[in-house]
Amino acid sequence: MYPESDDLNDYLVSDTIIDWETPAVRRKALELTQSLSDEVAKARCLYEWVRDTISHTNDAGLDIVTCTASEVLHHGTGICFAKSHLLAALLRAVNIPAGFCYQVLRLDPPVDNEPVLHGFNAVYLATLDKWIRVDSRGNTKGINAQFSIEQEQLAFAMDPEADEFIYEAIFAAPVDSVVATLKRYTTMNELWPDLPQCL
């Protein structure tokens, strides 16, 4: 994997989607990490909180679409992309650079082999001078994603023979196709059949 930008400041930006300067987002990040002084511990804490506390909208059977970090925090739910937006915002709010990674999977093999895009995060740990990838989509139905500085443990294994792969770039902002899709719909019933298939 490699960052698309060599400037770590690009991975600390607050914007309309990763809106970490929103008071509620900033407050939550500081509240969760106030007792922690170690950068890795802060990153792990924020990751596990988003993974375990913010429900994956489809898993929870909710019919709402969230996109911005503040929306995800307010409603307590989001699909993989939206949860990655919140995690990045929380990390950036405590000065930990965070970016976006994408993976192409099959939607529901072997029943549905249509490709679908999946989103997660990369986190830069300055004390270790390294990027790690983490997936906060939520552990359910055998999924066991973890925060690890040594052995990457994402939510979904890949089958390269079935054309599943991870884009190696670490994007500084969510890709346009993801944001446009999340903004286009207001209900999961509308969104789910039209998930992005690639970047």
Side-chain angles (χ1 to χ4, degrees), residues 151-163:
Q151 183 70 37
E152 184 173 271
Q153 194 166 337
L154 302 176
F156 299 109
M158 288 182 298
D159 182 356
E161 293 186 2
D163 296 325

Side-chain angles (χ1 to χ4, degrees), residues 164-178:
E164 295 182 338
F165 65 94
I166 293 177
Y167 291 95
E168 289 300 316
I170 302 168
F171 296 91
V175 295
D176 292 343
S177 59
V178 164

Side-chain angles (χ1 to χ4, degrees), residues 79-107:
I79 65 169
C80 61
F81 306 119
K83 291 185 69 170
S84 77
H85 299 167
L86 176 58
L87 178 55
L90 293 171
L91 289 163
R92 292 179 181 189
V94 294
N95 205 39
I96 298 175
F100 304 91
C101 300
Y102 298 95
Q103 181 178 19
V104 173
L105 300 165
R106 289 169 295 162
L107 187 59

Side-chain angles (χ1 to χ4, degrees), residues 15-189:
D15 57 27
T16 56
I17 305 300
I18 315 306
D19 53 349
W20 67 258
E21 291 181 344
T22 301
V25 176
R26 188 173 177 82
R27 189 165 52 245
K28 177 57 71 174
L30 296 175
E31 170 195 315
L32 290 168
T33 60
Q34 64 184 350
S35 65
L36 304 171
S37 58
D38 177 74
E39 171 198 52
V40 175
K42 288 181 180 182
R44 183 190 302 275
C45 169
L46 294 172
Y47 162 76
E48 291 180 348
W49 187 83
V50 173
R51 183 193 66 188
D52 299 340
T53 305
I54 303 296
S55 67
H56 187 287
T57 313
N58 195 53
D59 293 349
L62 301 173
D63 197 26
I64 184 174
V65 177
T66 54
C67 179
T68 70
S70 57
E71 287 172 349
V72 178
L73 179 62
H74 176 75
H75 292 286
T77 192
I79 65 169
C80 61
F81 306 119
K83 291 185 69 170
S84 77
H85 299 167
L86 176 58
L87 178 55
L90 293 171
L91 289 163
R92 292 179 181 189
V94 294
N95 205 39
I96 298 175
F100 304 91
C101 300
Y102 298 95
Q103 181 178 19
V104 173
L105 300 165
R106 289 169 295 162
L107 187 59
D108 186 21
V111 178
D112 188 343
N113 289 317
E114 281 294 305
V116 65
L117 196 64
H118 173 62
F120 50 99
N121 295 96
V123 183
Y124 181 73
L125 301 171
T127 53
L128 303 176
D129 189 26
K130 69 185 291 188
W131 286 93
I132 65 167
R133 293 188 292 210
V134 294
D135 192 335
S136 65
R137 66 86 59 211
N139 289 342
T140 185
K141 299 176 183 174
I143 294 171
N144 185 27
Q146 299 294 332
F147 181 100
S148 175
I149 60 175
E150 295 168 355
Q151 183 70 37
E152 184 173 271
Q153 194 166 337
L154 302 176
F156 299 109
M158 288 182 298
D159 182 356
E161 293 186 2
D163 296 325
E164 295 182 338
F165 65 94
I166 293 177
Y167 291 95
E168 289 300 316
I170 302 168
F171 296 91
V175 295
D176 292 343
S177 59
V178 164
V179 173
T181 301
L182 293 177
K183 290 293 192 182
R184 187 178 305 130
Y185 301 109
T186 57
T187 69
M188 282 292 291
N189 285 333

